[in-house]
Structures are given as C-alpha cells and as structure tokens.
C-alpha cells in the first residue's frame, strides 16, 4: 500500500484486535482501571463532542498497556429514565425498542474509533440481570432504615409529571425539559443520604484522591456543611402562649443560625413559604388569605430567583402570630418571605438586619427595627463608648454603615456584652442546651435523596404494601422484580406511576403473611443504575453476587474516571453515597470508588455554541471518519486545546492532522537498518520521550502531540532514517493513533501487536534543557501561547503556531505577509 488509506488500515486492525482478544489480557501483575461515564443512548446518536473523553481514556489505557499494566476499560449503557421514555412517547414506540435501536447505533459509532473496550463486560442498566442488583442494594438500604417513605412537598414537574430531587433541577427548572417546577405533596421513597453527609465531606480530603480542585469544591458546596445552633422561639397566638398550648397548636418555632452571637439584634423572624407552621396555624393568622396568596405565588419561583441578592425582598407578616426571643423575652413579628427556602436548615430564620444584608433590606422596606449588637475589629480600640457607636454616634472613623457583617465584640447583648463573637457563640449555645431550647447544630445544604419517579421506564422498587404487615421488602430469591411489558405507559397525570394501572402486576402476595398486597408502583430514578455500574463491569456475569470479593479487591478503586463536569454533584455524590453504604455492609473494600477524576471540556459547534439540532451545528463523527479516518479525529480532539477547556470544533484542524499522518506514513519507505550516531537527533528523541510520557500522565495531550510533531519534522530532515528512531517514535505515537501505528509496526517486520511492546524510557543524561512558552502574535497582538522545547526553530514554531485553532480563526483567509521570530520568546504573523 503506497498511499496512506485509513479506511483499509482501520478496518483491518479493528478486526484483528477483536479476533485476538488483545484487550482481554488481564494476566499482568499491575492493574489499571480506566472508566468512562457511560452514555445515555439517545436517538440522535453521537456527535463529535461525545468521543473526546473516550479518546482520552483510550490513550491512557494504551499507554498503560505499554507500561506493563493489565487494563480494564469497559463500556455500557445508562438506558433507563425520563429521556428514553419521553423519546419513545414522541416517536410512538416502546422505550425498550427505542433503547435497543439507539444502543445499536452508538455501539457501531464507537466501534469506528478502535477503542480498547472489552465488550464481553458490556452492561445495560435496563437488563433485568443488571437491575436485579440495583434492587438488591435498595432492599439492603431498606433493611438498614436508609430507605423510607415520606409524604411531604416535593419538586414536581408538570410536564414530565414526576417528582424530582433537588439535584434534578437547574435554576429551579426541570433539568430534562426546562419546565418550571412546583411544590406538590406526594408519597415518595427517600434515601437517607444525609446520614452519610460527614463522611461524604471529610473523605474528599483523603490523600489518595487525585481530583480537580473545582470538582472537590463543587462537592463541598453542594453538601454545604454549616456549624451553627438551633434556637427555639416560643410562638404566641392571640396575645397568649397559653392559648397556643391549650389548642394543641405548635408552640415553638425552631430556627437555625450560624450567627448565634447576633441574637440580641433579632427584630423579627421569617419562615419560608413551604413551612408547615403556616398550614397548622392558619386559623390563628388574621390575614391568612393574603398569606396563602403569597405562598402560592412563591411556589412558581425558582430557588435562584428567590435567593437572588439583587432582587427586591418581599414578604407578608403573619398577623396574630408573634414569637418570643428566649434570650431577652422580646415578642417579635413573624413573616413569611420567599428568600427563605423551606428545604434549608429548619425553613425558618431569625432576622438580624444590622448584621445581615438581606435582612437589612427587608427591614428597611417594612420599617422594622435595626439593632447593632456586633462591632467590627477596626472599631474595638476606639476610645468611645461602644454602645454609643452602635447607636450611630460619629467617631474618628466616621461610622456610617448601618450593617456590619463581621465577627467582633458584642454590645447591647446583656451579660454577653464585651465578649468576642466566638466566645459568645460558645456561651450562648451552652445556655440553650441547659434550658433545653436549642444548642449546637451542624446543618447541611444537601437534602435526603427523593428516590422515586412516577414514570414507567425505570427499575421497579422491590416493595409490597400489605394492609396487615405494612411495607415489606421483596425476598432476595424473587429478584429481579421485572418491569411488566405494556403497550401504554404514559404518565397517569394523577401523581401515581403508570404501573398503578396494571392490576395483574400490582396485586401480589405479601411475602410475610401470604395475604393480599400491592406492589410499589413508583420506579427508581435514572441515577440508580449509574450509582454502582463501575462495580458490575468487574464481574458482569456473576449470578450469585453483585461483585465477587476477589475480583473487586483486584480492580478497585477505579484508577481513572473521566466524564462531564455537569456530573460533579449529582452522579458523583450518589455513587459515593452508595459506595460507602456497600463498604459498610462488606460488599466493597475501598472507602472511595474513584481515585483520579478528570472532567472533559466540551467541544462546541464551529459557531461557538453547544452542539444541538436546535442550532443546526451538530457534526456527525461517522462522516468525519469516512473522510479523514478515525486516527485523524482521535489526534485532532486530543490536540485541539487543553483537555479540560471548552473549545469550538474546526474541521480544518482535522485536515491538518490528516496531513501529519500522511507524513508519518511516508517514514516507512525511507528506513535503513544501519545506524549512525546523530547526537542532536538522539537528544531530541529522549526529550520527546520524556515530554510525551509526562504529558500523557498529566492529561496534557495537546503538548505531547506538539512534541511528536517537532520530532517528526526533525526526522524528515534526515537523509536516512534508522529503524530504532522510527520504532521509538511510532511507540510514542501509538496511544493516539493506534491503527496507523500498528500498520507501520507490522511493516517494520514485527509479528506481534505494538501494544505488547514496552514503552520507551529516556536517558536523563541526554535531557538538558526545558520547555518554554512561545507567545503567538498576529499584527503585534498576543492571540495565543504554546509550550515548546527550548531552542525550537522558526520552521517548527511556525507549523505548531498555525495548527492552533485560535490562530486559524484569527488569520482566516488572510495571507501572511511577514513572520517575525524571536527564538524562545515569540512568533509574530503580519497579515
């Protein structure tokens, strides 16, 4: 074959790899588990943005193979959930049929890239043999009291007609369809995730975790641990605490605060619109109709809208209701306001307008008192009476602020005056505990996981409801509880799941008493199957256990996990929660599931927007592969920019990679078996080995490829190419472009696959200089910079610079009139 023909080469090697079972060799003593966030198989198929993460894990997997590791790199399908069901409804087909067809398309597309997947380990969350174990985990949680029924207001999507967890919302809208979510009271299954909150938080700081700081921060913020105190305010109705108690109405309002030291400055309290006290005291609220109208209006606002610091604060006083501050016995008004969220803390706050900006704005609007009780550090040494300063007296510092948001020293706070904020919080909490009306409390922003959905396409929850025995788990021997085959599966619209209409399936015998019972008709959320799938890859055919202990200990934890940053809260928190539970019951041997975690930057359309049918900017990878070959697209997606950075697609970049591979292909025709000494080439070779090795390990794929390009340019200058140089170069290139590497390796006379070879090692004595950042200018303006070897020549610098997407974009169709090159500093294109 004289001309490089990727179609023939790629088909040939994909067939050979499949026949040889090269990716099923797990005999090497060292292990490496590379995991992709498995895809939801949509009807649209893959676009060129989807494979970016898969290519990266494939590059690392091949690199590890060459470094003597047994590599587990599996793939499967996250196929339950609302998207598949909605798609099926729209296209008037059954979700099972839709999913099968979509998986077929996805698998065919993935096959074109030549990935190192062991398809014998393929899993599908909709396979009863898989979700049998999802149900088993749920039952174990049920047995331990972590799965329970709740009849409380939940997030309800009117369009999808199902309940949603907080994590399923984006700015208060349904994450799937964008519909405004409302509050609806409904029976739900909930997983007590907050029992694991401290461990989920503390284990993020474990030394063995190699996670990006941004993802760790997102996890910590979502868990949202706050140290504070609970304070119980007495509720007074009709001017009397006794009347409240006699009528058996709520007589205490619990508030959570992180600033107990400011309580003497509390001038009113606020409950969120969802707070149950409003319903319980409605007969005591003189203006209940006004309050009810406000509550209904608040339900149509997103959490983001309600908590926006810029928005005007609104609220309604609950007339006829007062609360008493336990520290000074002051009776205070009680408001309902939408800036307080019912799902955070106790759903009630004490308002201290002198020391909270939000409370300050509210107090000014409704003409409520503002009392300073904390003075900031900069005022503590002023030789003036602190109470006078707090009351607004002028000082040398001209104290004009009405709102101090700070720690400091207490004033106007009774026996706690003159204490520091920290000391006051300690003493106040101790007093509350002694009086049994509060005390220290750790609170979490994270809520328990609303785990049921009122839809058809999901794992049945393995529970039977019996009038005599109550809620009973399905015996393990009867798992899986299979999803019944039905023709109609649209939501009922009543709040019950579609399964409620299938009487022959719903009616079941109680496992405990043998009497009549009814199956649970809610199904699990899509997140259920993805919370433990990485374990099933390890032992996918095991009929007796979720995963065998020997296999689990061999492969866990996952060494590398790559996926979208959008899953940094929901999926990762759920998976870590389930993993810790499985650790507690002895199923897994590690406290954390994922050792190294890397997020993949989006590939946007050529117009800079997210690829979408709506924008008409979707590019099909099949077409790109047909035109330029899989190795070209693999190389381009790893070269187009820093891996974690979002970047726009540019087909010209694929063309550039194809030209590079054409040059690589030509090498095989000018190789000589003889070898002479070329010190400059030897030095560059060993620098390249070092650079590519370190860059693959640190996910700097683009700079690794830059180094390979520079070395190829040097090879092209040689009158003769020697086998040793070309062989090492092809090994370095092989993780990125495995098809062409295998073909050239074979042409060099090797019988076995290149991936049975050993990764090159560099000689430290030959590594002298380091990398530098080369600035790229256009008409004197800095447009980009790239990392290159010190001493890079102008020709190489020019080629590398013109391969950068940003530079291609800026130059466009303009001609280059002049090039100004300053070695080790910059290259400037005059256009």
């Amino acid at each position: 074959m004289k001309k490089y023909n990727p179609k023939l080469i790629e088909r040939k090697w994909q067939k050979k790899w499949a026949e040889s079972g090269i990716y099923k060799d797990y005999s090497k003593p060292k292990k490496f588990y590379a995991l992709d966030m498995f895809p939801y198989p949509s009807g649209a198929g893959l676009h060129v943005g989807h494979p970016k993460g898969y290519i990266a894990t494939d590059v690392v997997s091949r690199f590890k193979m060459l470094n003597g590791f047994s590599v587990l790199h599996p793939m499967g399908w996250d196929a339950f959930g609302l998207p598949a069901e909605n798609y099926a409804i729209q296209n008037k087909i059954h979700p099972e049929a839709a999913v099968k067809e979509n998986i077929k398309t996805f698998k065919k597309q993935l096959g074109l890239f030549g990935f190192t997947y062991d398809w014998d380990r393929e899993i599908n969350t909709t396979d009863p043999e898989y979700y049998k174990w999802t149900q088993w985990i749920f039952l174990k949680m049920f047995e331990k009291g972590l799965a329970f029924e709740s009849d409380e207001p939940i997030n309800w999507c009117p369009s999808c007609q199902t309940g949603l967890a907080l994590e399923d919302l984006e700015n208060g809208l349904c994450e799937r369809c964008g519909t405004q979510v409302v509050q609806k009271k409904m029976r739900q299954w909930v997983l007590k995730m907050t029992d694991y909150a401290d461990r989920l938080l503390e284990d993020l700081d474990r030394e063995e975790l190699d996670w990006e700081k941004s993802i760790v921060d997102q996890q910590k913020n979502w868990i949202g641990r706050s140290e504070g105190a609970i304070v119980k305010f007495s509720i007074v109705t009709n001017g009397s605490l006794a009347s409240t108690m006699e009528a058996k109405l709520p007589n205490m309002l619990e508030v959570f605060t992180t600033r107990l030291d400011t309580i003497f400055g509390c001038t009113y309290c606020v409950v969120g619109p969802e707070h149950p006290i409003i319903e319980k005291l409605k007969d005591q609220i003189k203006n209940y109709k006004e309050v009810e109208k406000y509550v209904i209006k608040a339900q149509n606002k997103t959490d983001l809208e309600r908590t926006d610091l810029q928005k005007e604060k609104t609220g309604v006083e609950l007339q006829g209701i007062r609360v008493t501050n336990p520290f000074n016995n002051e009776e205070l008004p009680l408001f309902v306001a939408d800036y307080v969220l019912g799902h955070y803390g106790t759903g009630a706050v004490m308002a201290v307008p002198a020391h909270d900006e939000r409370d300050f704005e509210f107090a000014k609007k409704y003409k409520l008192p503002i009392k300073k009780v904390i003075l900031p550090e900069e005022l503590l040494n002023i030789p003036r009476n602190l109470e006078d300063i707090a009351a607004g007296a002028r000082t040398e510092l001209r104290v004009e602020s009405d709102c101090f948001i700070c720690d400091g020293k207490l004033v106007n706070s009774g026996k706690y005056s003159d204490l520091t904020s920290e000391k006051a919080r300690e003493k106040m909490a101790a007093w509350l505990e002694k009086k049994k009306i509060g005390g220290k409390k750790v609170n979490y922003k994270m809520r328990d996981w609303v785990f049921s959905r009122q839809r058809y396409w999901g794992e049945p929850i393995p529970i039977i409801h019996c009038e005599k025995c109550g809620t009973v788990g399905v015996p393990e021997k009867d798992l899986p509880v299979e999803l019944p085959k039905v023709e109609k599966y649209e939501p009922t619209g009543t709040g019950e799941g579609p399964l409620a209409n299938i009487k022959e399936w719903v009616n079941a015998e109680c496992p405990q008493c043998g009497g009549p019972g009814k199956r649970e008709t809610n199904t699990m959320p899509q997140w259920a199957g993805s919370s433990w799938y990485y374990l099933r890859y390890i032992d996918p055919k095991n009929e007796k256990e979720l995963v065998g202990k020997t296999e689990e200990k061999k492969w866990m934890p996952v060494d590398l996990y790559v996926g979208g940053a959008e899953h940094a809260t929901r999926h990762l928190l759920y998976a870590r929660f389930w993993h810790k539970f499985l650790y507690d019951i002895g199923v897994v041997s590690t406290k954390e599931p994922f050792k190294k975690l890397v997020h993949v930057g989006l590939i946007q359309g050529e117009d800079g927007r997210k690829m979408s049918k709506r924008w008409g900017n979707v590019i099909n990878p099949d077409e790109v592969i047909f035109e330029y070959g899989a190795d070209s697209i693999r190389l381009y997606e790893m070269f187009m920019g820093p891996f974690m950075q979002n970047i726009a697609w540019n087909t010209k970049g694929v063309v550039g990679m194809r030209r590079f591979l054409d040059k690589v292909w030509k090498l095989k025709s000018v190789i000589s078996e003889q070898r002479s000494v070329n010190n400059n080439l030897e030095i560059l070779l060993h620098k390249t080995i070092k650079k590519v090795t370190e860059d693959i390990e640190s996910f700097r794929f683009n700079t690794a490829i830059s180094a390979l390009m520079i070395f190829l340019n040097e090879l092209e200058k040689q009158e003769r190419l020697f086998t040793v140089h070309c062989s090492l170069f092809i090994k370095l290139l092989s993780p990125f472009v495995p098809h062409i590497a295998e073909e050239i390796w074979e042409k060099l006379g090797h019988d076995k696959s290149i991936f049975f070879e050993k990764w090159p090692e560099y000689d430290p004595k030959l590594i002298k200089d380091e990398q530098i950042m080369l600035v790229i200018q256009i008409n004197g303006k800095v447009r980009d910079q790239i990392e290159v070897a010190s001493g890079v020549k102008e020709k190489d610098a020019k080629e590398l610079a013109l391969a950068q997407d940003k530079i291609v974009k800026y130059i466009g169709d303009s001609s280059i009139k002049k090039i100004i090159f300053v070695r080790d500093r910059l290259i400037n294109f005059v256009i």
Side-chain angles (χ1 to χ4, degrees), residues 504-524:
E504 63 274 15
W505 183 85
V506 170
N507 295 321
E509 184 180 283
C510 173
Q512 286 187 7
C513 70
K518 292 186 179 296
R519 293 190 187 279
E520 174 61 56
T521 58
N522 285 336
T523 53
M524 298 186 193

Side-chain angles (χ1 to χ4, degrees), residues 334-478:
L334 179 63
F335 285 78
V336 57
D338 62 10
Y339 71 78
V340 177
L341 302 177
H343 55 73
Y344 181 70
T346 62
V349 300
M350 63 179 215
V352 188
H355 305 290
D356 183 279
E357 187 177 347
R358 183 183 57 180
D359 297 342
F360 175 75
E361 291 178 15
F362 192 92
K364 293 286 281 187
K365 179 176 180 178
Y366 292 100
K367 297 181 173 55
L368 297 163
I370 298 172
K371 295 165 55 178
K372 287 192 181 75
V373 292
I374 303 285
L375 288 183
E377 293 288 341
E378 61 264 28
L379 299 182
L380 296 185
N381 296 322
I382 294 175
R384 292 287 182 91
N385 184 287
L386 294 180
E387 273 71 14
D388 289 345
I389 296 173
R394 300 295 181 188
T395 71
E396 290 83 349
L397 291 181
R398 292 183 59 80
V399 180
E400 296 179 355
S401 173
D402 290 317
C403 185
F404 294 137
I405 306 170
C406 61
D407 276 352
K409 183 173 283 190
L410 273 66
V411 295
N412 298 324
S413 298
K415 65 180 182 180
Y416 302 100
S417 293
D418 292 330
L419 293 178
T420 63
S421 290
E422 183 180 0
K423 191 68 176 175
R425 286 195 285 264
E426 287 289 326
K427 286 185 172 292
M428 288 175 170
W431 183 83
L432 288 170
E433 288 170 3
K434 183 179 178 181
K435 295 290 184 179
K436 297 182 179 180
I437 52 172
K440 286 185 178 181
K441 172 75 173 177
V442 174
N443 193 54
Y444 298 93
K445 177 182 168 186
M446 181 180 75
R447 299 290 87 194
D448 286 330
W449 180 3
V450 178
F451 192 69
S452 48
R453 298 291 183 269
Q454 293 70 44
R455 299 296 291 252
Y456 167 73
W457 193 238
E459 301 93 335
I461 294 176
I463 292 290
I464 292 176
H465 299 276
C466 173
E467 289 186 10
K468 181 180 177 182
C469 304
T471 305
V472 182
V474 172
E476 186 177 332
K477 65 180 179 61
D478 294 334

Side-chain angles (χ1 to χ4, degrees), residues 224-420:
R225 188 180 193 272
S226 301
E227 292 187 10
I230 289 288
V231 186
K232 294 182 180 180
F233 285 69
S234 300
I235 297 173
V236 180
T237 62
N238 298 319
S240 170
L241 175 62
S243 65
T244 304
M245 298 179 70
E246 288 166 8
K248 296 183 179 180
L249 297 170
N251 64 343
M252 288 287 185
L253 175 69
E254 285 192 2
V255 305
F256 173 79
T257 178
T258 58
R259 294 302 306 269
L260 183 57
D261 53 322
T262 65
I263 195 164
F264 280 86
C266 175
T267 58
Y268 64 100
C269 285
V270 187
V271 295
E274 307 87 354
H275 202 290
I277 202 171
I278 296 173
E279 177 67 21
K280 291 176 181 177
L281 293 179
K282 65 180 182 180
D283 293 335
Q284 312 296 318
I285 300 171
K286 296 178 180 179
N287 59 333
Y288 180 71
K289 286 188 177 180
E290 182 186 4
V291 170
E292 184 181 39
K293 184 179 179 180
Y294 181 85
V295 168
I296 292 171
K297 186 177 180 181
Q299 289 176 347
N300 292 321
K301 292 182 181 180
T302 68
D303 285 0
L304 190 66
E305 288 173 328
R306 287 171 56 177
T307 56
D308 183 5
L309 291 175
Q310 304 303 317
K311 87 174 185 74
E312 182 183 2
K313 305 300 180 288
T314 63
V316 177
E317 184 179 355
L318 306 185
Q319 295 175 11
I321 308 294
R322 308 279 283 181
V323 292
T324 303
N325 185 334
F327 281 87
N328 56 17
N329 293 318
E330 283 188 26
E331 280 193 11
L332 307 171
L334 179 63
F335 285 78
V336 57
D338 62 10
Y339 71 78
V340 177
L341 302 177
H343 55 73
Y344 181 70
T346 62
V349 300
M350 63 179 215
V352 188
H355 305 290
D356 183 279
E357 187 177 347
R358 183 183 57 180
D359 297 342
F360 175 75
E361 291 178 15
F362 192 92
K364 293 286 281 187
K365 179 176 180 178
Y366 292 100
K367 297 181 173 55
L368 297 163
I370 298 172
K371 295 165 55 178
K372 287 192 181 75
V373 292
I374 303 285
L375 288 183
E377 293 288 341
E378 61 264 28
L379 299 182
L380 296 185
N381 296 322
I382 294 175
R384 292 287 182 91
N385 184 287
L386 294 180
E387 273 71 14
D388 289 345
I389 296 173
R394 300 295 181 188
T395 71
E396 290 83 349
L397 291 181
R398 292 183 59 80
V399 180
E400 296 179 355
S401 173
D402 290 317
C403 185
F404 294 137
I405 306 170
C406 61
D407 276 352
K409 183 173 283 190
L410 273 66
V411 295
N412 298 324
S413 298
K415 65 180 182 180
Y416 302 100
S417 293
D418 292 330
L419 293 178
T420 63

Side-chain angles (χ1 to χ4, degrees), residues 1 91 108 182 343 362 482 575 577 598 616 772 775 810:
M1 188 189 308
N91 291 276
K108 181 181 178 183
V182 298
H343 55 73
F362 192 92
E482 293 197 35
F577 163 47
V598 179
I772 59 100
V775 173
Y810 278 113

